[in-house]
mmCIF file of all heavy atoms in Angstrom:
data_model
loop_
_atom_site.group_PDB
_atom_site.id
_atom_site.type_symbol
_atom_site.label_atom_id
_atom_site.label_comp_id
_atom_site.label_asym_id
_atom_site.label_seq_id
_atom_site.Cartn_x
_atom_site.Cartn_y
_atom_site.Cartn_z
ATOM 1 N N THR A 66 250.258 88.425 219.271
ATOM 2 C CA THR A 66 250.941 87.337 218.554
ATOM 3 C C THR A 66 250.262 85.997 218.856
ATOM 4 O O THR A 66 250.366 85.046 217.991
ATOM 5 C CB THR A 66 252.464 87.189 218.943
ATOM 6 O OG1 THR A 66 252.449 87.073 220.393
ATOM 7 C CG2 THR A 66 253.198 88.390 218.526
ATOM 8 N N SER A 67 249.554 85.853 219.941
ATOM 9 C CA SER A 67 248.918 84.577 220.273
ATOM 10 C C SER A 67 247.511 84.418 219.638
ATOM 11 O O SER A 67 246.723 85.371 219.867
ATOM 12 C CB SER A 67 248.852 84.414 221.807
ATOM 13 O OG SER A 67 248.123 83.244 222.177
ATOM 14 N N PRO A 68 247.250 83.394 219.013
ATOM 15 C CA PRO A 68 245.835 83.215 218.429
ATOM 16 C C PRO A 68 244.829 83.126 219.527
ATOM 17 O O PRO A 68 243.636 83.448 219.366
ATOM 18 C CB PRO A 68 245.957 81.899 217.658
ATOM 19 C CG PRO A 68 247.395 81.673 217.354
ATOM 20 C CD PRO A 68 248.148 82.323 218.546
ATOM 21 N N ARG A 69 245.203 82.632 220.685
ATOM 22 C CA ARG A 69 244.232 82.489 221.830
ATOM 23 C C ARG A 69 243.767 83.894 222.332
ATOM 24 O O ARG A 69 242.759 84.005 222.932
ATOM 25 C CB ARG A 69 244.843 81.727 222.945
ATOM 26 C CG ARG A 69 245.083 80.238 222.692
ATOM 27 C CD ARG A 69 245.676 79.577 223.842
ATOM 28 N NE ARG A 69 246.985 80.039 224.233
ATOM 29 C CZ ARG A 69 247.677 79.714 225.268
ATOM 30 N NH1 ARG A 69 247.173 78.821 226.131
ATOM 31 N NH2 ARG A 69 248.902 80.283 225.519
ATOM 32 N N ALA A 70 244.556 84.961 222.130
ATOM 33 C CA ALA A 70 244.211 86.257 222.674
ATOM 34 C C ALA A 70 243.699 87.146 221.502
ATOM 35 O O ALA A 70 243.617 88.343 221.657
ATOM 36 C CB ALA A 70 245.455 86.923 223.253
ATOM 37 N N TYR A 71 243.294 86.579 220.401
ATOM 38 C CA TYR A 71 242.863 87.339 219.227
ATOM 39 C C TYR A 71 241.630 88.282 219.623
ATOM 40 O O TYR A 71 241.624 89.375 219.140
ATOM 41 C CB TYR A 71 242.454 86.450 218.077
ATOM 42 C CG TYR A 71 242.153 87.164 216.846
ATOM 43 C CD1 TYR A 71 243.181 87.435 215.945
ATOM 44 C CD2 TYR A 71 240.875 87.576 216.457
ATOM 45 C CE1 TYR A 71 242.909 88.128 214.764
ATOM 46 C CE2 TYR A 71 240.612 88.176 215.298
ATOM 47 C CZ TYR A 71 241.634 88.524 214.492
ATOM 48 O OH TYR A 71 241.352 89.237 213.287
ATOM 49 N N ALA A 72 240.713 87.717 220.370
ATOM 50 C CA ALA A 72 239.495 88.577 220.681
ATOM 51 C C ALA A 72 239.839 89.741 221.572
ATOM 52 O O ALA A 72 239.019 90.690 221.594
ATOM 53 C CB ALA A 72 238.516 87.647 221.443
ATOM 54 N N TYR A 73 240.994 89.732 222.262
ATOM 55 C CA TYR A 73 241.307 90.900 223.147
ATOM 56 C C TYR A 73 242.123 91.978 222.406
ATOM 57 O O TYR A 73 242.421 92.978 223.010
ATOM 58 C CB TYR A 73 242.126 90.345 224.310
ATOM 59 C CG TYR A 73 241.409 89.368 225.178
ATOM 60 C CD1 TYR A 73 241.528 88.042 225.036
ATOM 61 C CD2 TYR A 73 240.516 89.864 226.121
ATOM 62 C CE1 TYR A 73 240.843 87.118 225.827
ATOM 63 C CE2 TYR A 73 239.794 88.976 226.987
ATOM 64 C CZ TYR A 73 240.026 87.588 226.789
ATOM 65 O OH TYR A 73 239.310 86.767 227.576
ATOM 66 N N ARG A 74 242.459 91.791 221.145
ATOM 67 C CA ARG A 74 243.255 92.809 220.431
ATOM 68 C C ARG A 74 242.557 94.155 220.257
ATOM 69 O O ARG A 74 243.131 95.196 220.248
ATOM 70 C CB ARG A 74 243.672 92.251 219.057
ATOM 71 C CG ARG A 74 244.567 91.033 219.201
ATOM 72 C CD ARG A 74 245.002 90.514 217.840
ATOM 73 N NE ARG A 74 245.777 89.302 217.871
ATOM 74 C CZ ARG A 74 246.269 88.614 216.875
ATOM 75 N NH1 ARG A 74 246.061 89.114 215.624
ATOM 76 N NH2 ARG A 74 246.961 87.505 217.039
ATOM 77 N N TYR A 75 241.205 94.071 220.195
ATOM 78 C CA TYR A 75 240.408 95.311 219.992
ATOM 79 C C TYR A 75 240.202 96.052 221.344
ATOM 80 O O TYR A 75 240.024 97.200 221.380
ATOM 81 C CB TYR A 75 239.129 95.021 219.347
ATOM 82 C CG TYR A 75 239.307 94.264 217.981
ATOM 83 C CD1 TYR A 75 239.175 92.871 217.916
ATOM 84 C CD2 TYR A 75 239.608 94.969 216.841
ATOM 85 C CE1 TYR A 75 239.401 92.248 216.656
ATOM 86 C CE2 TYR A 75 239.804 94.353 215.622
ATOM 87 C CZ TYR A 75 239.697 92.938 215.563
ATOM 88 O OH TYR A 75 239.830 92.325 214.330
ATOM 89 N N LEU A 76 240.159 95.263 222.431
ATOM 90 C CA LEU A 76 240.028 95.807 223.748
ATOM 91 C C LEU A 76 241.298 96.338 224.394
ATOM 92 O O LEU A 76 241.285 97.257 225.214
ATOM 93 C CB LEU A 76 239.296 94.833 224.692
ATOM 94 C CG LEU A 76 237.936 94.392 224.338
ATOM 95 C CD1 LEU A 76 237.434 93.306 225.305
ATOM 96 C CD2 LEU A 76 236.924 95.567 224.374
ATOM 97 N N PHE A 77 242.384 95.729 224.002
ATOM 98 C CA PHE A 77 243.643 95.942 224.666
ATOM 99 C C PHE A 77 244.099 97.379 224.624
ATOM 100 O O PHE A 77 244.524 97.923 225.610
ATOM 101 C CB PHE A 77 244.690 94.979 224.074
ATOM 102 C CG PHE A 77 246.039 95.075 224.775
ATOM 103 C CD1 PHE A 77 246.192 94.470 226.005
ATOM 104 C CD2 PHE A 77 247.113 95.803 224.208
ATOM 105 C CE1 PHE A 77 247.409 94.572 226.680
ATOM 106 C CE2 PHE A 77 248.330 95.828 224.858
ATOM 107 C CZ PHE A 77 248.477 95.289 226.116
ATOM 108 N N PRO A 78 244.049 98.060 223.467
ATOM 109 C CA PRO A 78 244.462 99.480 223.469
ATOM 110 C C PRO A 78 243.714 100.356 224.396
ATOM 111 O O PRO A 78 244.303 101.202 225.078
ATOM 112 C CB PRO A 78 244.276 99.916 221.964
ATOM 113 C CG PRO A 78 244.316 98.653 221.193
ATOM 114 C CD PRO A 78 243.677 97.610 222.163
ATOM 115 N N GLY A 79 242.439 100.188 224.474
ATOM 116 C CA GLY A 79 241.601 101.002 225.446
ATOM 117 C C GLY A 79 241.972 100.639 226.889
ATOM 118 O O GLY A 79 242.117 101.596 227.694
ATOM 119 N N ILE A 80 242.122 99.370 227.200
ATOM 120 C CA ILE A 80 242.402 98.982 228.561
ATOM 121 C C ILE A 80 243.812 99.497 228.926
ATOM 122 O O ILE A 80 244.030 99.992 230.049
ATOM 123 C CB ILE A 80 242.361 97.491 228.658
ATOM 124 C CG1 ILE A 80 240.929 96.950 228.447
ATOM 125 C CG2 ILE A 80 242.878 97.069 230.050
ATOM 126 C CD1 ILE A 80 240.812 95.434 228.447
ATOM 127 N N THR A 81 244.750 99.383 227.978
ATOM 128 C CA THR A 81 246.073 99.903 228.248
ATOM 129 C C THR A 81 246.084 101.407 228.539
ATOM 130 O O THR A 81 246.727 101.887 229.384
ATOM 131 C CB THR A 81 247.009 99.612 227.045
ATOM 132 O OG1 THR A 81 247.006 98.231 226.818
ATOM 133 C CG2 THR A 81 248.415 100.075 227.363
ATOM 134 N N ALA A 82 245.292 102.119 227.685
ATOM 135 C CA ALA A 82 245.174 103.550 227.942
ATOM 136 C C ALA A 82 244.664 103.918 229.296
ATOM 137 O O ALA A 82 245.123 104.866 229.929
ATOM 138 C CB ALA A 82 244.315 104.228 226.833
ATOM 139 N N VAL A 83 243.660 103.208 229.742
ATOM 140 C CA VAL A 83 243.040 103.425 231.098
ATOM 141 C C VAL A 83 244.104 103.169 232.155
ATOM 142 O O VAL A 83 244.216 103.937 233.103
ATOM 143 C CB VAL A 83 241.806 102.547 231.271
ATOM 144 C CG1 VAL A 83 241.336 102.563 232.730
ATOM 145 C CG2 VAL A 83 240.721 103.005 230.358
ATOM 146 N N ILE A 84 244.855 102.091 231.984
ATOM 147 C CA ILE A 84 245.927 101.721 232.999
ATOM 148 C C ILE A 84 247.008 102.795 233.016
ATOM 149 O O ILE A 84 247.403 103.263 234.097
ATOM 150 C CB ILE A 84 246.470 100.405 232.680
ATOM 151 C CG1 ILE A 84 245.440 99.260 232.879
ATOM 152 C CG2 ILE A 84 247.697 100.059 233.612
ATOM 153 C CD1 ILE A 84 245.912 97.865 232.465
ATOM 154 N N VAL A 85 247.505 103.213 231.868
ATOM 155 C CA VAL A 85 248.582 104.131 231.795
ATOM 156 C C VAL A 85 248.170 105.577 232.209
ATOM 157 O O VAL A 85 248.928 106.228 232.944
ATOM 158 C CB VAL A 85 249.211 104.095 230.345
ATOM 159 C CG1 VAL A 85 250.286 105.184 230.238
ATOM 160 C CG2 VAL A 85 249.825 102.743 230.066
ATOM 161 N N PHE A 86 247.076 106.022 231.710
ATOM 162 C CA PHE A 86 246.719 107.427 231.842
ATOM 163 C C PHE A 86 245.758 107.682 232.954
ATOM 164 O O PHE A 86 245.579 108.883 233.352
ATOM 165 C CB PHE A 86 246.159 107.968 230.544
ATOM 166 C CG PHE A 86 247.061 107.919 229.422
ATOM 167 C CD1 PHE A 86 246.910 107.039 228.382
ATOM 168 C CD2 PHE A 86 248.243 108.767 229.362
ATOM 169 C CE1 PHE A 86 247.790 107.020 227.295
ATOM 170 C CE2 PHE A 86 249.080 108.698 228.313
ATOM 171 C CZ PHE A 86 248.886 107.843 227.254
ATOM 172 N N VAL A 87 245.149 106.677 233.570
ATOM 173 C CA VAL A 87 244.255 106.870 234.691
ATOM 174 C C VAL A 87 244.669 106.134 235.949
ATOM 175 O O VAL A 87 244.850 106.798 237.012
ATOM 176 C CB VAL A 87 242.804 106.436 234.285
ATOM 177 C CG1 VAL A 87 241.863 106.559 235.430
ATOM 178 C CG2 VAL A 87 242.292 107.168 233.058
ATOM 179 N N LEU A 88 244.829 104.831 235.795
ATOM 180 C CA LEU A 88 245.116 104.072 237.006
ATOM 181 C C LEU A 88 246.541 104.318 237.561
ATOM 182 O O LEU A 88 246.631 104.566 238.765
ATOM 183 C CB LEU A 88 245.035 102.519 236.649
ATOM 184 C CG LEU A 88 245.111 101.579 237.741
ATOM 185 C CD1 LEU A 88 244.056 101.843 238.835
ATOM 186 C CD2 LEU A 88 245.025 100.147 237.328
ATOM 187 N N LEU A 89 247.547 104.311 236.704
ATOM 188 C CA LEU A 89 248.931 104.500 237.223
ATOM 189 C C LEU A 89 249.107 105.905 237.841
ATOM 190 O O LEU A 89 249.716 105.988 238.928
ATOM 191 C CB LEU A 89 249.925 104.279 236.123
ATOM 192 C CG LEU A 89 250.239 102.823 235.710
ATOM 193 C CD1 LEU A 89 251.237 102.754 234.588
ATOM 194 C CD2 LEU A 89 250.645 102.047 236.974
ATOM 195 N N PRO A 90 248.657 107.026 237.199
ATOM 196 C CA PRO A 90 248.833 108.314 237.871
ATOM 197 C C PRO A 90 248.039 108.409 239.233
ATOM 198 O O PRO A 90 248.497 108.985 240.176
ATOM 199 C CB PRO A 90 248.210 109.295 236.843
ATOM 200 C CG PRO A 90 248.352 108.611 235.543
ATOM 201 C CD PRO A 90 248.191 107.210 235.824
ATOM 202 N N MET A 91 246.850 107.716 239.215
ATOM 203 C CA MET A 91 246.122 107.680 240.503
ATOM 204 C C MET A 91 246.892 106.971 241.609
ATOM 205 O O MET A 91 246.989 107.422 242.727
ATOM 206 C CB MET A 91 244.732 107.088 240.258
ATOM 207 C CG MET A 91 243.835 107.096 241.450
ATOM 208 S SD MET A 91 242.220 106.293 241.079
ATOM 209 C CE MET A 91 242.685 104.633 240.854
ATOM 210 N N VAL A 92 247.382 105.749 241.255
ATOM 211 C CA VAL A 92 248.139 105.000 242.244
ATOM 212 C C VAL A 92 249.420 105.694 242.668
ATOM 213 O O VAL A 92 249.716 105.782 243.859
ATOM 214 C CB VAL A 92 248.464 103.591 241.630
ATOM 215 C CG1 VAL A 92 249.421 102.840 242.611
ATOM 216 C CG2 VAL A 92 247.219 102.754 241.451
ATOM 217 N N TYR A 93 250.049 106.400 241.724
ATOM 218 C CA TYR A 93 251.272 107.096 242.047
ATOM 219 C C TYR A 93 251.009 108.298 242.983
ATOM 220 O O TYR A 93 251.710 108.549 243.928
ATOM 221 C CB TYR A 93 251.922 107.618 240.778
ATOM 222 C CG TYR A 93 253.201 108.401 241.003
ATOM 223 C CD1 TYR A 93 254.356 107.821 241.457
ATOM 224 C CD2 TYR A 93 253.294 109.732 240.703
ATOM 225 C CE1 TYR A 93 255.551 108.532 241.628
ATOM 226 C CE2 TYR A 93 254.456 110.497 240.950
ATOM 227 C CZ TYR A 93 255.502 109.855 241.398
ATOM 228 O OH TYR A 93 256.701 110.603 241.585
#
Side-chain angles (χ1 to χ4, degrees):
T66 57
S67 174
R69 291 180 298 172
Y71 187 87
Y73 296 98
R74 295 181 186 180
Y75 303 97
L76 296 174
F77 185 75
I80 296 174
T81 303
V83 170
I84 293 174
V85 173
F86 297 109
V87 178
L88 187 59
L89 285 181
M91 182 180 67
V92 171
Y93 180 69

